[in-house]
Amino acid sequence: MKKIYTVILALIIMVCASHMNAQENAKIKYMVWEVQLTPLQLENAQKVIAAENVFYKENNHPYMNATQYTNDRYLWYSVPFTEFGDLDEMQKAMIKMYEENPERTKEIQKLFDISYTKVGRMILESQPELSVAGEQMTNTPTGSKFRFFEKFYIKQGMWDKFQELTKKYVDLRRKHRITSAFYTFYPVFGADMNTVYFIDETGNSPSEHCKLNEEQWAKFGEEGKKLWQEVLPIV
């Protein structure tokens, strides 16, 4: 289990608001770069991403991104989109911006080169029917937001059953009026396609999340115990 501390990049959100609103009825996907780094590299990465977003703002780059970092030396850099054709448009916009600003591009790339150990990439798709509070992750204009992140590896042939159990869990949250956001993501492209990703926005810190999570499962009572016993054999 990982705990994701999220910094949403406000400048990019403001630039891209109209782009996202125009496609609000589509299922949101995320191009995610999973970056492994040391504590020193994390500090460098945060600085270079901030510098890159100033660069994007100056050039009216139309796409948003979000940076999330975990307590076990990983950083997620995510760009939302709806259709796969959007990826071509993103790439064209990036190439055009970089070609028009070669010196600034070299500066940023030089900073990136010392800011990570290893990079992986995947595409995740939101599952609004298995989520609470909508399909698009909530953002804060400035500052940071705590999120609890979980990754479940599903046994072969058990995907439909796990989906059914996730729906039961979401229904339990709604039944007991747990209003904090909870998101489910399925991999569309990645190294491990038998994985389900969850992000829970319950609590504002690890300790508060643990406390509220225990209270939540106490409310679920026997229904919750039965649900968890059904989950264990298939993960």
Side-chain angles (χ1 to χ4, degrees), residues 3-5 10-11 25-26 31 33 88 102 105 111 118 120 128 140 162 166 177 197 201 206 221 226:
K3 300 162 183 70
I4 291 187
Y5 296 83
L11 293 176
N25 293 321
M31 174 66 79
W33 286 265
D88 290 334
T105 298
L111 292 171
K118 185 171 65 174
T140 51
F162 190 79
T166 303
R177 298 181 180 179
Y197 298 83
E201 294 188 353
K226 181 182 177 183

Side-chain angles (χ1 to χ4, degrees), residues 138-174:
T138 56
N139 300 322
T140 51
T142 58
S144 61
K145 184 178 186 68
F146 171 80
R147 287 181 173 133
F148 185 79
F149 170 76
E150 289 184 290
K151 192 160 61 171
F152 280 69
Y153 297 94
I154 314 306
K155 290 181 179 177
Q156 196 71 29
M158 292 296 176
W159 192 271
D160 289 343
K161 180 63 176 177
F162 190 79
Q163 181 170 296
E164 174 192 325
L165 297 176
T166 303
K167 183 65 168 62
K168 286 184 179 180
Y169 173 71
V170 167
D171 289 343
L172 273 177
R173 288 178 73 113
R174 292 193 174 116

Side-chain angles (χ1 to χ4, degrees), residues 72-232:
D72 58 353
R73 298 192 301 162
Y74 280 89
L75 180 147
W76 274 21
Y77 181 88
S78 310
V79 178
F81 66 98
T82 51
E83 304 295 337
F84 283 101
D86 294 341
L87 297 178
D88 290 334
E89 296 304 315
M90 287 183 203
Q91 186 176 31
K92 289 176 185 177
M94 297 287 284
I95 290 173
K96 181 175 183 293
M97 182 172 59
Y98 291 148
E99 287 180 345
E100 291 176 352
N101 300 274
E103 293 305 315
R104 189 75 174 276
T105 298
K106 287 179 184 178
E107 288 177 22
I108 291 174
Q109 186 57 55
K110 188 175 180 180
L111 292 171
F112 267 121
D113 289 343
I114 60 170
S115 299
Y116 65 90
T117 300
K118 185 171 65 174
V119 178
R121 186 168 64 171
M122 58 186 164
I123 296 175
L124 302 180
E125 184 177 65
S126 65
Q127 304 300 314
E129 71 282 4
L130 302 177
S131 302
V132 177
E135 65 182 54
Q136 186 180 340
M137 288 194 296
T138 56
N139 300 322
T140 51
T142 58
S144 61
K145 184 178 186 68
F146 171 80
R147 287 181 173 133
F148 185 79
F149 170 76
E150 289 184 290
K151 192 160 61 171
F152 280 69
Y153 297 94
I154 314 306
K155 290 181 179 177
Q156 196 71 29
M158 292 296 176
W159 192 271
D160 289 343
K161 180 63 176 177
F162 190 79
Q163 181 170 296
E164 174 192 325
L165 297 176
T166 303
K167 183 65 168 62
K168 286 184 179 180
Y169 173 71
V170 167
D171 289 343
L172 273 177
R173 288 178 73 113
R174 292 193 174 116
K175 175 181 176 180
H176 292 277
R177 298 181 180 179
I178 297 166
T179 58
S180 54
F182 174 82
Y183 305 101
T184 300
F185 300 92
Y186 288 168
V188 177
F189 169 83
D192 193 339
M193 298 298 288
N194 286 330
T195 306
V196 175
Y197 298 83
F198 298 117
I199 289 178
D200 191 342
E201 294 188 353
T202 301
N204 295 308
S205 67
S207 59
E208 185 179 14
H209 172 83
C210 290
K211 176 178 179 292
L212 294 174
N213 188 58
E214 286 182 7
E215 292 175 359
Q216 166 187 297
W217 283 95
K219 288 179 182 178
F220 292 168
E222 290 302 316
E223 283 184 286
K225 291 178 183 178
K226 181 182 177 183
L227 175 61
W228 186 238
Q229 288 305 311
E230 289 185 81
V231 170
L232 287 175

